[in-house]
Amino acid sequence: MPRQCDICQSARAIIRRPKTGQRICKECFFYVFETEVHHTIVDNRLFNRGARIGIGASGGKDSTVLAYVMKTLNQRYDYGLELFLLSVDEGISGYRDDSLETVKRNQKQYELPLKIVSYEQLYGWSMDSIVEAVGRKNNCTFCGVFRRQALDRGALMLDLDHIVTGHNADDVAETILMNVLRGDIPRLGRCTEIATVGDGYIGRSKPFKYAYEKEIVMYAYLKRLDYFSTECTYSPNAYRGYARQYLKDLESVRPSAIIDIIHAGEAMKVAETVQLPKLTSCSRCGYISSNAVCKACVLLEGLERGIPKMGISKQSGQAVAIDAQPVCRGKTVEPVHFDQLREQALEIRRLRKQTTAVPSDSIACPELCAESVCACTEDGCS
């Protein structure tokens, strides 16, 4: 005999939640999933009314569900947010170019402005060319560092107040395990934070911090959302993959392992005797860094000198950090300094405020946004 939903006690249960073990119907699943995300946002006070929020959009299940849920909750609970899609094109042939087509479809489906920034545009290197230079062993280090900074650069181009990413509970638990295994105390202390400050100017948060990956997949499937499901070409050898497999093994024995690891990570405190690195600004690009030269600039330096492992070796990284001036550039594009980006963001804000008195079509879009779909004015670039 079909079992009834544990919540409404009327409809047929079709889902057993991995997170709670409840057997519920489709409509109740939608409601509890969205409500839990809403409580995560409200309880942690992630946004202020009127904020401009960039949704990190890759075309995958997490970011697609995040964009859909953020728009739904913004309308349902009247958050008063301005939502934008922000994507990074890493330059991975056969993967990112296809996933960005999904993002462009999502833009039309959700009626949200879209901004795309690329590694080629920002740094002069695509991931394909980086992998050709460094090989497949450490390529994820380059991609992670460059993507984080690229999101902040794109956010400043749009004068956003905050970025939300689709990192879910599984991702957070994996990161905790990785940092424990590597003995990375500074990252272990902050990886469980639901909200952080990226470049010291733009906030960043994870509304899906407590949402299981399985439930996100179920939500996307039952809602029939349009998302891209192919794995990155270069990810099979990533260190995270081993942590992910270990976590899946734990979950098969103890379903609550994911949330238990997160709560354990939240309860951890770094001893007062441990000296944590002090944050400063990169002497080259102005990005927030714990060294004189940030990781992205060190990696670019290594690529430019033909020593791609320079940014991965601690000894080489320290040697590069002494020299605040980059070597003569060839392939590498000198990244725009963050102080300049912040000034341009303030100019965008000033121009946007004038739209109440001046028709939007009379306001020119700043040069940095002219190449992509943008949201500097109400009607975008013409």
Side-chain angles (χ1 to χ4, degrees):
M1 182 177 179
R3 181 166 177 171
Q4 289 183 324
C5 172
D6 290 344
I7 296 178
C8 68
Q9 298 293 321
S10 58
R12 177 183 175 183
I14 64 169
I15 301 168
R16 181 169 183 171
R17 296 190 69 192
K19 189 175 184 178
T20 63
Q22 287 179 308
R23 297 179 186 272
I24 56 179
C25 66
K26 182 169 68 173
E27 294 304 318
C28 285
F29 170 66
F30 292 154
Y31 175 77
V32 296
F33 181 87
E34 293 164 1
T35 302
E36 286 177 0
V37 175
H38 167 65
H39 286 313
T40 298
I41 292 172
V42 173
D43 293 347
N44 292 279
R45 300 180 179 180
L46 298 185
F47 319 119
N48 294 321
R49 187 173 186 81
R52 293 164 62 86
I53 309 297
I55 302 169
S58 66
K61 63 183 186 311
D62 298 313
S63 65
T64 300
V65 173
L66 179 62
Y68 181 88
V69 171
M70 283 296 296
K71 181 173 182 180
T72 299
L73 297 181
N74 191 37
Q75 294 173 337
R76 179 183 300 167
Y77 297 104
D78 190 26
Y79 291 161
L81 305 176
E82 291 184 69
L83 300 177
F84 304 84
L85 297 178
L86 179 58
S87 296
V88 177
D89 180 2
E90 299 95 339
I92 304 175
S93 301
Y95 170 70
R96 183 55 72 210
D97 44 2
D98 291 337
S99 70
L100 286 176
E101 291 302 314
T102 303
V103 174
K104 292 173 183 177
R105 292 196 300 272
N106 291 159
Q107 176 202 3
K108 296 178 180 178
Q109 293 160 356
Y110 305 152
E111 299 179 329
L112 297 175
L114 168 65
K115 173 73 177 176
I116 300 175
V117 294
S118 71
Y119 286 2
E120 192 79 42
Q121 168 198 357
L122 298 176
Y123 311 115
W125 290 79
S126 66
M127 273 309 299
D128 286 342
S129 60
I130 291 173
V131 171
E132 187 177 345
V134 74
R136 296 196 172 212
K137 185 175 181 180
N138 296 303
N139 59 83
C140 287
T141 298
F142 287 81
C143 194
V145 171
F146 289 163
R147 183 172 58 248
R148 181 174 183 83
Q149 191 178 116
L151 278 174
D152 283 332
R153 289 180 177 276
L156 284 169
M157 292 177 189
L158 294 176
D159 183 31
L160 301 181
D161 300 303
H162 199 94
I163 301 172
V164 291
T165 60
H167 292 97
N168 56 51
D170 299 55
D171 297 325
V172 176
E174 289 165 11
T175 303
I176 293 171
L177 290 174
M178 290 169 63
N179 289 330
V180 168
L181 294 173
R182 289 187 300 209
D184 195 330
I185 301 300
R187 284 193 177 93
L188 183 60
R190 63 177 184 264
C191 69
T192 58
E193 295 177 357
I194 194 169
T196 58
V197 179
D199 75 323
Y201 181 86
I202 298 169
R204 186 180 298 212
S205 63
K206 302 183 283 278
F208 283 173
K209 178 184 174 182
Y210 300 109
Y212 274 35
E213 182 179 51
K214 288 181 179 178
E215 297 200 349
I216 292 173
V217 172
M218 285 193 292
Y219 187 94
Y221 173 76
L222 294 173
K223 282 286 187 179
R224 300 184 181 277
L225 301 183
D226 182 6
Y227 67 93
F228 185 77
S229 58
T230 302
E231 187 177 6
C232 175
T233 310
Y234 302 129
S235 67
N237 296 320
Y239 181 52
R240 180 175 288 273
Y242 299 101
R244 179 176 295 122
Q245 185 57 53
Y246 176 60
L247 185 64
K248 296 302 180 188
D249 293 341
L250 288 177
E251 186 186 12
S252 65
V253 177
R254 181 184 175 91
S256 64
I258 293 174
I259 205 71
D260 291 342
I261 291 173
I262 293 176
H263 290 325
E266 291 172 334
M268 288 183 184
K269 291 184 178 180
V270 179
E272 295 181 358
T273 55
V274 176
Q275 290 187 345
L276 298 177
K278 295 182 179 180
L279 296 180
T280 182
S281 295
C282 175
S283 59
R284 292 188 184 177
C285 71
Y287 194 65
I288 190 169
S289 172
S290 57
N291 297 307
V293 179
C294 73
K295 188 71 170 179
C297 287
V298 172
L299 292 173
L300 286 172
E301 185 81 9
L303 290 170
E304 185 62 24
R305 291 185 178 182
I307 316 173
K309 292 185 179 181
M310 173 184 288
I312 299 171
S313 168
K314 290 184 178 180
Q315 289 76 13
S316 298
Q318 289 170 352
V320 171
I322 298 174
D323 183 9
Q325 298 299 320
V327 299
C328 181
R329 299 293 178 180
K331 182 181 179 66
T332 301
V333 172
E334 188 69 29
V336 178
H337 200 282
F338 268 84
D339 287 346
Q340 182 180 343
L341 287 173
R342 294 184 188 107
E343 290 175 2
Q344 290 168 339
L346 292 174
E347 178 65 10
I348 293 172
R349 185 170 300 183
R350 185 186 66 80
L351 293 174
R352 193 172 64 250
K353 289 180 178 180
Q354 291 180 359
T355 59
T356 56
V358 182
S360 60
D361 57 4
S362 68
I363 299 176
C365 176
E367 182 179 350
L368 276 174
C369 294
E371 297 179 359
S372 306
V373 179
C374 97
C376 297
T377 66
E378 186 174 343
D379 299 323
C381 298
S382 56

